Amino acid sequence: SVEGAGDDDQREVQFFEDRVGFSRRQGTLSTAMDVLVSGEDDAEVRRVAITSTSRRPREVELTSYAELALTTPAADAAHPAFARMFVPTEYLPEFGAVIATRRPRSPDETPVWAAHFLVVEGELSAAMEFETDRAAFVGRDNDLSSAQALIAGSRLEGGVGTVLDPVFALRQRVTIPAGGTVKLAFWTVVAPTRDALTDLIDRHHDRNAFDRARTLAWIQAQVQLRHLAITPVQAAGFQRLTAPILCSDMRFRARADLVATGAGKQSALWPMGVSGDLPIVLLRIDDAADIARVHEMLLAQEYWRGKGLAVDLVILNEHPASYVQGLQTGIEAALRGSRAPDGGGGGQTHALRADLISPEARSLLISVARVHLVARRGTLAEQIAAILADDIGEEAPPATRARQLPATASPPAVEELEFFNGIGGFARQGREYVTILDGSIPTPAPWINVIANDSLGFHVSATGSTSTWAGNSRENRLTPWSNDAVADPTGEAFYIRDDATGEVFSPTFAPLRQAGRHIARHGFGYSRFQHQAGGICLDLLQFVPLADPVKISRLTLRNLSGQPRRLTVISYAEPVMGPSRAGSAPFLTTERDGETGALFARNPWNTAFPDRVMFVDLAGAQSGFTADRTGFLGRGGARTMPLAVSQGQPLAGRAGSGLDPCMALERKVELAPGAQIVIDHFLGQTVSVEDARTLICRLRKTDLDAALAEVEAHWAAVLGTVQIET
């Protein structure tokens, strides 16, 4: 694939069987990076070659960065911050390598050691730098797009030891002669012991190691293709399916109506012997003349196993029932002739007869399959070509970053705080803790308030980064929890766009990270955020009522500009409805409720909290919505400036099944000079659609000021019995 921002910036990516090549030309510099995995050792290498066409020497600086887990994906996803506490790091000056290991928490835990180092072919112009502390590299309340280690003039300080959030980062400055080339190979190797690790580092700390690894990777790839009798065209098709297998792509799934009608619980797959824990590739066949498609998909399964990709292949025989079972006999014979055994970490192959399972089970298989193929539609290559040909929608351009606005001349006033430490202090006789984010000084860690009743809760940090749950904060998250103490990203946000100028504001520091003073007030049972930007005073109050399963957000906008303002308010949430978004997003179904106008989401796949209904509502005042996250953020976009927000176009009004889901609502408002408006937003979950409608209608009529007063009175009674002055 080729992309570019103009004649002066051209980029290309090439996928080969043994490696991936990235190339870019910008001005007088060209870069080419090959990424491959060694065929003989547990090692990955990324070799970067930089060529200069300038008539003078050029000095460039290269920095590598990788976040460490050194554990199973499940353990890392469950509690990343906790899992990474057990990964100490170290620097080996004799090799110029950073290494890490995982301290065992039980005697039967398998040891693991990892190292990262580089080999340079060229002239060094400075000593190598390194860092293993992610907080030092990225910076608090920051991300990689603007990491503090990448600011001009910054240095990697060489932090090692128990760094809590470990990374591998190396930096090397080199001089490129006029018309010359330099090459840097960044190696990452893994071993079961420290001695074995140092041996790997020593053997690969050589300029010829990359050429050897590349040659062996190519040989291994050719041997695998020949062993499985796979043609290059077939291999390309198998590779093409890995993207929709790993990241759900609605183009490769069944039609949206089939996904919606067949949705059901994961446990409904178990009587068929299918666990549902792995991605499912489904092949439907009803004619023995298409048995070649079965052999092709069994070949794909063996190919994926060889690559370490775990997939469950389900072959569904839809031939009408009869005494002659020639098709089923052919399928079973093909399975017996398959080279690779079932089970292990590579997934299983299931041959099912449609006439022996219920229509509901058949519909569920069609609904949840990441890749849905029909044998009568031709070879895999033909079906992929047809799928991509039907996708006539244009890909959205990347979203731009937030427009950085100057600090408002009159930032929100803050009363005198008790025990003020430069960032925050107490107010209201200790009933509030007030944090002031002013400039570039963040809190040392996410400063969080936990707010909940018996059925629903959320936590929110001083930046406004928040996560909401219902019933169980791990098994039934409504919006994502990152557990990231460094970047502290959020899955919920409010955007305010000036329709005349295109400027975008937010009442909280996250996700826009705009200049100016941001004030967060954490109280008992509520949090409040205040900010001024573009002549608008923004005030966001969030709390949970005493009994109802809903998070209430009250956004107050006041026009201080002296001019009439036309604004669009957009609320955004990424639904989870399970332990993790990655595991639940492919199964979520969204819809706009015709009776209330609210946006609903369901996750029939969730066995612990089945049939629940998540809802978002702007108190009935919404004028538009979308449940398509890709369309909202833009392909390759981010919450720092979603495409739909920056473009100024109405939300797409798209909902349904098979999407990358979000829940976004918008409302148009007009503010006269000095006027203000309060916009109420509800996010919650109920056990049924009827309960959701009833609750939404009641909330729209509720005196929310009185509801907040009840919350404050409750906590005053609970916490005010004993008071201490110090």
Side-chain angles (χ1 to χ4, degrees), residues 9 38 76 142 199 310 312 316 415 435 449 472 496 667 697 717:
D9 186 0
S38 170
D76 185 60
N142 213 345
D199 181 60
D312 278 342
L316 184 60
E415 69 273 31
T435 302
N449 197 9
N472 187 293
I496 297 90
R667 176 183 175 181
C697 292

Side-chain angles (χ1 to χ4, degrees), residues 62 95 229 255 331 421 428 456 623:
L62 288 89
F95 295 113
R255 296 196 320 264
I331 293 173
N421 58 19
R428 298 185 64 191
L456 182 140
S623 58

Side-chain angles (χ1 to χ4, degrees), residues 167-188:
V167 298
F168 281 158
L170 300 177
R171 173 173 294 168
Q172 183 65 66
R173 181 173 296 182
V174 295
T175 299
I176 309 175
T181 299
V182 297
K183 299 176 181 179
L184 298 91
F186 292 87
W187 287 90
T188 303

